Every structure is written in C-alpha cells, then in structure tokens.
Amino acid sequence: MILSSRSKETKASITLKVNEKITQMTQAGKHVYNMTSGQLPFRPAGEFITAISKQLNFLKSYQYSPVAGMPKLRQKFMQYVESKRGINFTGSSDDTQFDCIISNGSKHSIYNVFGALLDPGDEVIILTPYWVSYPEIVKFWGGVPIIVKSHAFDAYTPPIDKIEKTISNRTKAIILNSPNNPAGIHYTDEWMKNFAEFLKDYPELMVVSDELYSELNYFDPKPTYFYQHDPGLLKQTIIIDGISKSLASTGLRIGFCIADARLTAAMATIQSQTTSGPSSLIQNALIEFDFEKMDGFFNPVKEQLRECAQIVMRAFRDANLAHCYYQTNSAFYYLLDFSRMPFFKNMEKEHEEEDLSSYIVDEILEKTGVALVPGSSFGYPNSARMSMTLEVAVFEEAIGKLMAYILDKKLS
Ligand code: PLP
C-alpha cells in the first residue's frame, strides 16, 4: 500500500498519543488527573435537549439538509452574532453581501474557508500559541503557514508590528483566535482597536476570526473584536463560530461561518462535493431552541472557571513563582510556560532538544498522574496546556501535585 504524500504530511492529533498513555495508566490501576480535555464536562442546556427530543419523530430530521444548512438557522446565527457583537451585516459596507454557511463543526468551516480561499503557495499568518489544526488545514490546501510568536509575559498577545513585518505579496489571510485555545485569554480591546487601524492599510488581507469561545469568559472585560471599532472591516472578515463550546455539544458537530456571500458560496460548493449539509436533526432543534437560554447555562460553568483560575493564581503565588503566572480570563485553558520556571535552566543543560514539552509532560504524568497536552502542538515550545474542566476539589488536588513537581525540580 502506498499512501499519499498529503496523508503522510498531515500530523496526527497529539491528544491521541496522550490519551493512549492515560488509558494504559488507568488500566494499570493508576489514578490520572486528566487535564487534556477540549470540552466542557457539562450537559447542554435542558431546553436544547428538549428541542432535540422533539425532533425525534419528525421525518425531515432524518433527511438531507440543504447543502449550506437550513435557511432559517443560517439567518438565526447571523442575527445572533449581530446582537451579541452589536453589529449589522446589512449596510456595514458599500457593496458586500454577507451570508452564513453551516458545516459539520467549526473545524469543518475552517477547512472549507481555506479550500475556498487558498491557491498553492498562498501565505496565512498564524499567531502563537495557536489551535493545533490551523497550520495543518492551511498546509492541506497547499498554503504556507507564517508563524508570529507571542510570549507568556505579554499574556500571549503578539505585537501588531511583528505581524506587519510578516506580510508579503503572497499573504492571503491571518487567523485570529480570541478567546484563545490554548492560552485562555482574549486580546484586549486596545489591541483590537490597533489591529483595526493596521487592517485599514491592508484591504486585501482576509481575517479568519475564530470566535468559538466568545461566550466563555469569566473575568471582565469581555472579549471584543476589531470590526466593532470599524464595521467597514467586516467585508475583510470571516467569522467562525459553533455550538461545540457554547452549548457544550462537541459531538453534535455544528459550526458556522459568516462572510462575504461569494466566499460562503464557494465553501458550499466544496461542501456539496464532500460532506453535504450537516445534521438535519440538530439544525431543526437549534431552530426551535431559544439562544437566550445559553446565558443561564453558562453561569455555573463560569463560576467553576473563576474558581479554578483563582486556584492556579494562589498556587503560583504561594510557591513564590508569581513571575511564572499570567491571568487567564476566557475559554477554559491555562498554558504553562516551563521555560520561565526555575527548574528549566538545569533541565535545558541536560538535554539537547530545543523543545522539551513532551519530555516534561511525560515526566509529570508518570510522577504525579497529572495529564497535560505538550505545548509543541500549539507552536509554543517548552510548555503544556492544562484544561480547567475538572471538578473544583479534584482540580485543586491536581494543581497541588503539579506544584510539588515544579518545586521539587526547582530544588534539584
Ligand atoms: N477552533 C478552536 C479554537 C478550537 O479550540 C476548536 C476545538 O477545540 C475548534 C475550532 C473546532 O471545534 P468544532 O469543530 O468542534 O466546532
């Protein structure tokens, strides 16, 4: 069997490897604090579950959906984004018509966007730390990821002048992911305002704004977006969102994209020849479901995230490692930057590799039972992503173990 070079060049998800190890350890009777999760351990809003159950006997819910999704739901998603962001798609720019296309999860939306946008050799600017699939999707379509680095001491926000320096005549798009997976922060309003100013000099540059975690913020101020500072920039904007995080429904596979109707039409063509439209059953349930009910659903989730974030802050402060800490405020992740920790200098001397993420994550798992995702997969070497989704008491216990590891290393 000779597999395609494209399939060989695509990197497998790192979480698969970590999860294999977790399974082995649990089977061997060891306790694992699984902090690798990319989903919320909550049931979706009750009203949404009821709306799904109402569709179960409805024949149309088992038949093909229109390729781009059900018109009523596409409209509802557009209205939802308009009301949440305080924008208006009609009349925001002179001649652009906007439309919404629904896909099988927002990963699928992003995949279709780049299929519709990129020619081989086109460059896409990606900011670190990034969500694992961005570079892989760009490469899959023949594009070239151009990476711009950020640092923990800037709360993982890359400077705009650094972004500007990477622009070339092949630059097609930039991906913004705010709130960010894996950093657990959103870019400040000031940053978004400056980004809007910067964009005015690059009218051809498209911005893929992945807003999947926009509702998941637990410390003020709330996330804002560059186009709120200048709605004329919407014509350069491709908004990505979905229900995986906001309705804790990763398995139902609904994501959407709002953009210039010429782009969404091209995406629909790709979708028509690949997956067809997404689940009719879930779309019908979403048409029925009152999106206002999401706010109530979020309250306990946000409360838990606030508590967990405070536990992390206290742990770093009590261990006299406050300089290694940064304040998260959204999504449900924390990115540990090992290179800022006192133990790292010694460890660096003992190893030749430039990125020790996997080595450290393996050692932490073996010694403490705390499972993390190595940061190399997020374009941020010598780090690890920690999900704050464990129940508070268990989370606190896991942080205690993690700190014991870090402090023990510090002494050695
Ligand atoms: N974008 C970001 C930033 C994510 O973290 C994820 C999933 O974790 C996705 C997109 C894809 O989500 P889904 O395809 O489940 O909508």
Side-chain angles (χ1 to χ4, degrees), residues 82-100:
E82 282 181 327
S83 86
K84 283 285 177 186
R85 313 276 190 277
I87 52 167
N88 205 331
F89 288 110
T90 21
S92 67
S93 67
D94 308 339
D95 47 6
T96 311
Q97 299 285 324
F98 293 88
D99 205 349
C100 170

Side-chain angles (χ1 to χ4, degrees), residues 37-39 103-110 130-134 137 175-182 210-213 240-245 249-256 331-333 378 385:
S37 178
Q39 56 194 350
S103 300
N104 298 275
S106 65
K107 184 187 278 196
H108 186 213
S109 304
I110 298 167
Y130 50 69
W131 178 54
V132 285
S133 297
Y134 297 145
I137 295 176
I175 308 179
L176 291 194
N177 174 219
S178 179
N180 180 274
N181 173 6
D210 181 343
E211 304 177 4
L212 198 62
Y213 296 88
I240 303 288
D241 207 337
I243 66 164
S244 282
K245 317 291 163 167
S249 299
T250 46
L252 299 184
R253 310 310 302 137
I254 296 285
F256 65 88
F332 43 82
Y333 310 105
F378 307 107
R385 187 188 76 179

Side-chain angles (χ1 to χ4, degrees), residues 334-386:
Y334 186 97
L335 191 68
L336 293 153
D337 182 347
F338 298 124
S339 72
R340 307 185 84 202
M341 298 185 184
F343 73 81
F344 190 73
K345 278 208 162 51
N346 282 343
M347 192 178 256
E348 213 176 13
K349 281 183 211 143
E350 290 161 16
H351 296 267
E352 279 182 0
E353 308 94 293
E354 282 191 2
D355 181 11
L356 299 175
S357 305
S358 292
Y359 174 80
I360 300 172
V361 163
D362 278 353
E363 199 174 86
I364 291 175
L365 180 56
E366 270 155 36
K367 291 198 172 161
T368 70
V370 173
L372 305 165
V373 183
S376 28
S377 37
F378 307 107
Y380 202 92
N382 300 311
S383 71
R385 187 188 76 179
M386 172 170 93

Side-chain angles (χ1 to χ4, degrees), residues 243-356:
I243 66 164
S244 282
K245 317 291 163 167
S246 53
L247 270 170
S249 299
T250 46
L252 299 184
R253 310 310 302 137
I254 296 285
F256 65 88
C257 168
I258 301 172
D260 184 319
R262 290 169 297 179
L263 182 83
T264 56
M267 290 166 68
T269 307
I270 296 172
Q271 188 152 295
S272 74
Q273 299 295 9
T274 48
T275 58
S276 299
S279 160
S280 296
L281 194 147
I282 304 302
Q283 287 187 78
N284 275 329
L286 284 165
I287 290 171
E288 180 92 353
F289 174 62
D290 176 2
F291 286 176
E292 297 285 321
K293 296 278 191 267
M294 272 189 222
D295 291 342
F297 162 73
F298 277 132
N299 292 337
V301 179
K302 291 183 181 184
E303 209 166 292
Q304 162 160 348
L305 291 170
R306 263 193 295 273
E307 274 189 61
C308 290
Q310 272 156 356
I311 289 169
V312 178
M313 183 189 66
R314 277 199 301 272
F316 275 99
R317 196 192 52 201
D318 294 351
N320 287 329
L321 292 172
H323 60 287
C324 299
Y325 170 80
Y326 72 98
Q327 175 78 61
T328 54
N329 53 16
S330 45
F332 43 82
Y333 310 105
Y334 186 97
L335 191 68
L336 293 153
D337 182 347
F338 298 124
S339 72
R340 307 185 84 202
M341 298 185 184
F343 73 81
F344 190 73
K345 278 208 162 51
N346 282 343
M347 192 178 256
E348 213 176 13
K349 281 183 211 143
E350 290 161 16
H351 296 267
E352 279 182 0
E353 308 94 293
E354 282 191 2
D355 181 11
L356 299 175

